[in-house]
Amino acid sequence: MATTCSAKKNIQGHPCFGGNHHKNGRMHLAVAPRCNIKCGYCSRRHDCANESRPGVTSRLLTPLEAIAKVREVMASEIMGPIIKVIGIAGPGDPLANEETFETFRLVGEEFPHLIKCMSTNGLLLPEKIDLLNELGLHSLTVTLNALDAQVGGRIYSHINYHGQKYTGAEAARILIANQLQGLKKAAEFGMTIKVNTVLIPGVNDAEVPAIAEKVKELGAFVMNVMPLIPQADFAGVTPPSPEMLESVRTANERIIGQFKHCRQCRADAVGLIGQDMQFAKASCSGN
Ligand code: SF4
Ligand code: SF4
Ligand code: SF4
């Protein structure tokens, strides 16, 4: 299954951006345990729900363990030729962990041909984007669930920003401003950008078209509307039906390419999207 993105950017076979994901795989390195915000749908007992499938927790790796794992996977006859992308997506927020930068540095030195990819809540994006560019980050995913701070205040209970805790709409205002500013800078650097939006019925569904318009204008390539997995603060919310999800994505498609095959992989997934490749104790457990 391909995405429906129509934009033409250099995706270099990246499976999450419309590259052939039957042939090209990605390897996630779970080097980022800490997070600097609290999303209402996150229980923090599992991987970051922004990009990773809840229900299983990754085994954390140090940067040196991570590069050793990359070596092992790239030396494998089966997996070596498949892996095209190294992604850091959790289990917390990559930008809240110095290990992320060290890991990308190590990967870039030893495996310069691998695409570097990262997923973030975006809080620290404006201040880290230059470093990410220097490290050769090719593709970036930002999870952006609201444009309106009042809506955001219902999704994020707090953020920790530069040593201070902010709550409610004030927290959301800072987060949203940084997400948009960071996304714009990333686009100016030529990064390929995906925006994840967790669809929370009754909370942010009315905002989705405006999010699509805004992120397209700022330079995003594709959007991934993900269904809420009810847990934590949103345990009592009914998740979107498949029909609702489909209709939101179809309406969005007129604005920006839609990524529809996301399986919300684990932060330590290795291999082809949607296939169980039991390697190095990790797999894409999407289906
Ligand atoms: Fe959880 Fe990820 Fe949100 Fe942090 S950014 S609270 S790890 S879902
Ligand atoms: Fe990159 Fe996200 Fe795909 Fe991982 S899941 S390779 S971080 S786009
Ligand atoms: Fe990331 Fe998996 Fe979704 Fe691709 S399918 S975007 S690898 S979570």
Side-chain angles (χ1 to χ4, degrees):
M1 190 198 315
T3 74
T4 54
C5 331
S6 54
K8 295 208 172 24
K9 273 213 179 180
N10 180 12
I11 51 172
Q12 296 181 2
H14 193 315
C16 300
F17 287 81
N20 184 344
H21 71 274
H22 296 294
K23 234 174 83 194
N24 300 331
R26 78 278 172 267
M27 175 176 190
H28 279 171
L29 299 173
V31 296
R34 291 170 293 279
C35 190
N36 45 13
I37 72 173
K38 174 68 179 70
C39 306
Y41 47 73
C42 179
S43 68
R44 287 313 326 261
R45 278 179 288 131
H46 309 304
D47 289 336
C48 174
N50 286 342
E51 191 78 309
S52 320
R53 186 180 174 80
V56 271
T57 305
S58 312
R59 190 178 77 78
L60 272 177
L61 301 172
T62 65
L64 286 176
E65 287 168 340
I67 190 72
K69 189 171 159 189
V70 177
R71 258 180 230 130
E72 184 190 348
V73 167
M74 294 313 290
S76 144
E77 270 178 38
I78 300 169
M79 298 297 286
I82 291 172
I83 298 299
K84 302 284 187 280
V85 179
I86 296 294
I88 301 184
D93 186 68
L95 295 182
N97 297 270
E98 287 305 311
E99 291 85 345
T100 296
F101 310 107
E102 176 62 4
T103 303
F104 276 143
R105 194 184 62 72
L106 292 170
V107 170
E109 269 174 19
E110 214 168 309
F111 301 95
H113 64 289
L114 291 175
I115 295 170
K116 290 188 249 349
C117 185
M118 197 197 74
S119 167
T120 176
N121 61 39
L123 179 64
L124 297 181
L125 208 44
E127 64 199 77
K128 296 294 186 190
I129 193 71
D130 290 346
L131 175 58
L132 291 170
N133 185 50
E134 278 163 31
L135 289 167
L137 190 78
H138 168 273
S139 34
L140 174 74
T141 297
V142 182
T143 299
L144 200 155
N145 296 317
L147 291 179
D148 182 314
Q150 297 300 330
V151 175
R154 294 172 65 193
I155 300 173
Y156 309 104
S157 59
H158 68 261
I159 65 168
N160 290 310
Y161 186 52
H162 294 163
Q164 200 166 327
K165 184 173 175 175
Y166 300 85
T167 58
E170 191 187 15
R173 195 168 298 114
I174 296 168
L175 177 63
I176 293 164
N178 285 7
Q179 289 170 329
L180 296 176
Q181 195 194 336
L183 206 152
K184 183 164 179 278
K185 283 180 99 177
E188 285 164 3
F189 276 129
M191 292 177 191
T192 307
I193 301 164
K194 168 155 69 74
V195 169
N196 283 351
T197 298
V198 179
L199 181 62
I200 312 167
V203 177
N204 70 346
D205 42 336
E207 279 241 76
V208 173
I211 295 173
E213 296 272 5
K214 187 69 190 173
V215 301
K216 167 87 180 175
E217 175 200 318
L218 295 178
F221 171 63
V222 67
M223 187 166 172
N224 176 18
V225 181
M226 306 157 81
L228 171 75
I229 298 172
Q231 58 177 355
D233 303 348
F234 290 130
V237 173
T238 308
S241 63
E243 294 74 29
M244 180 186 185
L245 184 63
E246 185 53 33
S247 106
V248 170
R249 285 172 168 173
T250 302
N252 248 2
E253 221 159 34
R254 289 184 220 117
I255 305 167
I256 184 170
Q258 298 296 294
F259 178 89
K260 293 183 177 176
H261 66 259
C262 183
R263 296 282 183 257
Q264 293 167 266
C265 309
R266 295 170 50 157
D268 61 358
V270 181
L272 296 173
I273 293 170
Q275 286 189 16
D276 255 343
M277 306 204 70
Q278 295 295 340
F279 191 91
K281 290 194 228 144
S283 66
C284 173
S285 49
N287 54 9

